[in-house]
Amino acid sequence: MEFARFGAWGATGVWRTVYSPEWVAAAKQYADWCAEAGLEVHKDAVGNVWGRLRGAEPGPSIVSGSHIDSQRPGGRYDGALGALAGLIAIRALSAQFGPPRRTLEAVALCEEEGSRFPTAQFWGSRAIVGRIAPGDAVATKGYEDETIADAMREVGLDPALIAEARRDDISDFIELHIEQGPILEQAGLPVAVVDAITGIRHLRVTLTGEANHAGAFPMDMRRDPMAGFAEIAAGVVNTAHRMGRPAVTTVGRVIAEPNFPAIVPHTVQFSVDARHPDPAQRDILYARHDALMREVAARRGLEIVIEQSLDHPPCLSDPGLVATFEKAARDQGIAFTTMPSGAGHDSQQMAEIAKVCMIFVRSKDGRSHTPEEFSSIPDIVEGVRVLAAGLHRLAY
């Protein structure tokens, strides 16, 4: 609740975009809390905040954290809970057991949502794994007339130094996060260990036909992109529905041109968001979508252009870490399940350099990316207990 003061929006919301004054204040608060916990504090070249509890033995770090930026507006828990949970768990371990054998670090990642700069998603974690190219900061534009390079300079960060944020000394990354869906609540469980993060593909599809009069032009002579869209939209959604959980497909945006009641449109442009955490099943889902769209377009005499704007492969959690955190939950008598994540997370980026695993905490009504998102203190405590116990097994 204290962290949610930075960017507070309405009664329960948070509006805290990367490099905004609200984000700067939140990052400073996180750094202060790390220092109060006796951790060595460091802010890297993109603004990620690190708190280190140095281990007795040399070697790579075990890291836990998440992002502290939000949607516009979002809620109090998405991202921020994971950043705080890593700090709380490491602080508790230090207080109870002293210095660890292996170095532990908590991290508040600077950007995950893309809510200020839509193509900057995972900016903080991509910097850590070296996935930001030299010209990206200048090329990454925001919803306003600004670049992320401009925004970095405004808060005292130098875009020319982004490469210095790269790390090659992290062995394990564990991210606690709210579930953002209804599965745990449906099962009556407070916590899950996450064994995979879904693959995500975003498509922008344009169907082009022929604009005509809605009354005078016969149905059998039309090249109607809206009719094609209606068939495709129902078809791709039903493809995921027939495959069953955890396959999901969403058609969330559609633009018709011209957009008038008595005109057969000339073009219809729409989005397709398709996700599956299993690599083989993901390929099947995508292939069925592509075949359906092209068949409908050909049968209806429509031109079709399919542009891919995002393609994140599925990320499988490290089996050893999954087993570690499952045992941590069992040893403490915490009811849990093991499940995949239907949303994308920084862990997908961190998997480039480290073994990864996630812990989910139950979301009330499955709500997230809204001020209404809520996770109870008892559920949060259970999640942090699982995190801390697993970190203890890894580091002590």
Side-chain angles (χ1 to χ4, degrees):
M1 296 304 105
E2 191 172 347
F3 205 59
R5 293 185 297 110
F6 302 104
W9 182 267
T12 61
V14 173
W15 186 306
R16 188 168 59 229
T17 57
V18 67
Y19 305 139
S20 66
E22 297 80 11
W23 175 88
V24 170
K28 181 181 184 304
Q29 178 65 84
Y30 191 85
D32 289 346
W33 281 336
C34 285
E36 290 170 13
L39 307 183
E40 303 170 14
V41 182
H42 167 67
K43 185 171 74 173
D44 68 21
V46 294
N48 298 318
V49 180
W50 302 83
R52 173 178 293 179
L53 182 63
R54 194 173 295 275
E57 298 178 0
S61 296
I62 300 164
V63 177
S64 182
S66 192
H67 62 96
I68 61 170
D69 63 309
S70 78
Q71 290 289 334
R72 318 194 309 174
R76 294 165 168 163
Y77 305 89
D78 178 6
L81 179 60
L84 295 171
L87 168 58
I88 292 164
I90 293 172
R91 183 182 67 190
L93 291 172
S94 176
Q96 292 183 50
F97 303 104
R101 178 175 52 84
R102 297 182 58 193
T103 295
L104 287 167
E105 294 188 59
V107 64
L109 298 167
C110 68
E111 198 280 351
E112 189 257 12
E113 300 287 5
S115 55
R116 182 178 177 183
F117 302 92
T119 61
Q121 194 174 34
F122 308 115
W123 188 255
S125 52
R126 283 198 288 132
I128 295 167
V129 304
R131 283 183 168 172
I132 297 178
D136 285 355
V138 174
T140 300
K141 298 187 181 299
Y143 289 105
E144 308 298 333
D145 185 23
E146 59 181 348
T147 68
I148 202 167
D150 297 330
M152 290 180 69
R153 293 188 191 99
E154 287 176 2
V155 298
L157 297 170
D158 185 349
L161 303 180
I162 286 174
E164 294 182 6
R166 185 169 186 174
R167 296 278 299 266
D168 60 3
D169 58 345
I170 298 172
S171 61
D172 307 85
F173 181 77
I174 300 91
E175 183 176 9
L176 183 144
H177 206 281
I178 58 171
E179 181 199 345
Q180 302 181 280
I183 305 302
L184 284 175
E185 188 169 66
Q186 186 182 61
L189 296 170
V191 171
V193 177
V194 177
D195 58 1
I197 303 171
T198 193
I200 305 173
R201 185 174 73 161
H202 286 176
L203 300 179
R204 184 170 57 250
V205 184
T206 304
L207 295 173
T208 303
E210 185 176 77
N212 278 299
H213 192 285
F217 213 84
M219 297 297 291
D220 60 300
M221 295 178 66
R222 294 184 180 189
R223 295 173 55 231
D224 183 352
M226 185 62 80
F229 162 73
E231 187 175 351
I232 288 171
V236 294
V237 169
N238 286 334
T239 296
H241 191 70
R242 285 191 298 269
M243 288 181 68
R245 295 181 182 180
V248 290
T249 299
T250 304
V251 178
R253 187 170 190 265
V254 58
I255 303 169
E257 176 65 36
N259 189 27
F260 291 99
I263 302 176
V264 176
H266 176 250
T267 61
V268 175
Q269 185 181 94
F270 59 96
S271 64
V272 178
D273 177 317
R275 310 184 184 209
H276 204 294
D278 179 270
Q281 290 298 305
R282 179 233 10 206
D283 290 345
I284 292 171
L285 178 66
Y286 293 177
R288 288 175 178 172
H289 284 172
D290 290 349
L292 170 71
M293 290 189 290
R294 295 186 187 282
E295 187 278 326
V296 170
R299 173 162 43 81
R300 292 184 173 274
L302 304 170
E303 299 172 19
I304 185 170
V305 176
I306 302 174
E307 300 171 277
Q308 182 174 284
S309 58
L310 179 72
D311 186 19
H312 289 311
C315 173
L316 303 180
S317 299
D318 177 74
L321 288 179
V322 171
T324 294
F325 286 95
E326 288 175 333
K327 189 169 190 325
R330 280 193 296 266
D331 287 351
Q332 297 181 95
I334 296 173
F336 76 98
T337 188
T338 302
M339 62 177 283
S341 169
H345 297 284
D346 285 301
S347 291
Q348 287 171 283
Q349 302 298 319
M350 298 299 292
E352 179 75 13
I353 62 168
K355 296 179 289 185
V356 300
C357 185
M358 293 189 69
I359 298 166
F360 274 171
V361 172
R362 175 166 45 193
S363 296
K364 185 180 185 327
D365 299 326
R367 303 292 302 281
S368 183
H369 283 190
T370 169
E372 284 73 41
E373 74 183 12
F374 177 80
S375 293
S376 71
I377 293 298
D379 286 354
I380 288 170
V381 170
E382 297 287 65
V384 178
R385 288 178 62 205
V386 173
L387 174 62
L391 292 177
H392 182 266
R393 286 181 165 275
L394 294 171
Y396 282 82

